[in-house]
Amino acid sequence: MAISVNSSNTQLGKVYLVGAGPGAADLITVRGAKLLAQADIVFHDALVEPEMLALCPQAILVPVGKRCGKLSSAQAFINKRLVDAAHKFQTVVRLKGGDPMLFGRADEELNVLKLAGVAVEVVPGITAALAGAASIQQSLTLRGISRSVAFITLAQGAENLPSDQTHQPIAVPSADTMVYYMGRKDAKRIATQLIAEHATFNETTPVQILEAVSTPRERHWLGTLTKMAQGNADHWFDSGSPALIVIGDALKAQELLQEPLQSCNAEIDDGLQNSGALTHGRRRA
């Protein structure tokens, strides 16, 4: 294994916060995959699939995952290890599940690295909500039904929060489609609160729960807010898999989109079929 190590006379290495995407190894971006192949050391989340780590056989692999209710790496410890690694290696990858900038505590790692004078770059990834929508072939928005989407988590790490801000209730956002990350243990509370407090939702609002999106272990639970509020999904969850809860009338799209094309207000210009459009984007002279 060839590892490039910095000496005290060379400049610091660079840290890349790379989004691993939702799970499947082939859903990481091309840039992310190239960086894994070049990395000297990779600090990876607990939910990163083994197939993803196979993309960096030359690198030192360091698990620094956080799992609710399980032994986890403290964020301050992760921050320090990233800075230390930049003093030793040229290419350091912090591999995060999904997208680094969504519920990934990237701000803390970015701030520490910048204060330490370490060059850092963020490489985005496909977040689970978008991969889940693609998996069930269901848009999170729907013409005339849903024009807004909220990505929410009730999980709240308190290690760096002032004591008066810990365990504060999180207000329900106003959106047509709700996507809850890390909501397994709060499923009943989520449904009950939405029925009671949110004008957009009611007892019959559809719910889909997606687990292990894009992996061979992916599975789905379909129901309504009432069923979830009654705890019908509680025993369905697999505590070893990441879960996503999608709520909203956009999930009714399969039945709503059976309307004929003529119902669209926009006029269709049949003349486009006979225009000068050619393949490869060329125009007739």
Side-chain angles (χ1 to χ4, degrees):
M1 178 187 298
I3 299 293
S4 54
V5 179
N6 278 333
S7 71
S8 58
N9 297 322
T10 59
Q11 70 180 59
L12 296 176
K14 185 173 183 178
V15 176
Y16 297 86
L17 306 188
V18 176
D26 57 355
L27 286 180
I28 192 173
T29 63
V30 174
R31 182 182 297 180
K34 287 181 177 179
L35 285 169
L36 284 179
Q38 300 165 7
D40 300 313
I41 185 168
V42 175
F43 296 89
H44 62 88
D45 280 351
L47 295 177
V48 171
E49 295 287 313
E51 293 79 9
M52 184 75 66
L53 298 178
L55 299 177
C56 49
Q58 80 294 339
I60 299 171
L61 300 179
V62 183
V64 291
K66 292 178 176 293
R67 299 296 301 276
C68 183
K70 297 184 179 180
L71 185 64
S72 301
S73 300
Q75 187 61 48
F77 180 65
I78 297 173
N79 297 344
K80 182 180 185 303
R81 296 201 70 176
L82 290 174
V83 173
D84 291 346
H87 283 80
K88 298 179 181 179
F89 304 103
Q90 291 292 334
T91 304
V92 180
V93 169
R94 172 70 172 99
L95 188 62
K96 292 174 169 287
D99 182 275
M101 309 305 278
L102 187 65
F103 307 134
R105 302 182 75 163
D107 52 337
E108 299 176 43
E109 294 172 7
L110 287 168
N111 290 338
V112 168
L113 290 165
K114 290 176 181 178
L115 287 172
V118 177
V120 59
E121 179 180 328
V122 179
V123 179
I126 299 172
T127 188
L130 304 184
S135 178
I136 62 176
Q137 298 186 11
Q138 172 59 67
S139 175
L140 299 178
T141 58
L142 181 62
R143 176 170 50 86
I145 298 295
S146 175
R147 295 190 294 179
S148 58
V149 182
F151 295 167
I152 314 153
T153 181
L154 300 185
Q156 187 177 23
E159 59 192 82
N160 292 324
L161 289 176
S163 58
D164 61 343
Q165 293 184 20
T166 59
H167 305 299
Q168 285 188 352
I170 299 176
V172 179
S174 178
D176 299 317
T177 302
M178 301 289 201
V179 183
Y180 285 85
Y181 287 68
M182 298 170 279
R184 179 189 301 110
K185 65 183 180 62
D186 297 305
K188 289 173 64 174
R189 181 160 66 97
I190 288 169
T192 301
Q193 185 178 24
L194 288 179
I195 293 171
E197 301 178 12
H198 205 295
T200 303
F201 305 115
N202 56 48
E203 291 85 351
T204 62
T205 299
V207 176
Q208 284 212 36
I209 303 175
L210 315 177
E211 276 193 351
V213 170
S214 81
T215 74
R217 305 182 307 281
E218 179 174 337
R219 62 195 189 113
H220 307 154
W221 181 91
L222 283 71
T224 63
L225 278 180
T226 292
K227 291 181 179 179
M228 193 163 77
Q230 293 171 343
N232 290 11
D234 288 0
H235 299 294
W236 175 87
F237 285 109
D238 177 0
S239 61
S241 295
L244 197 71
I245 303 174
V246 185
I247 303 167
D249 284 338
L251 297 176
K252 297 178 179 177
Q254 296 305 318
E255 45 191 84
L256 294 173
L257 290 181
Q258 298 304 315
E259 60 187 60
L261 182 62
Q262 285 76 9
S263 65
C264 179
N265 292 329
E267 294 183 4
I268 300 176
D269 185 0
D270 292 331
L272 287 175
Q273 298 180 22
N274 300 316
S275 68
L278 293 175
T279 57
H280 308 302
R282 295 180 181 175
R283 299 177 62 186
R284 281 202 183 115

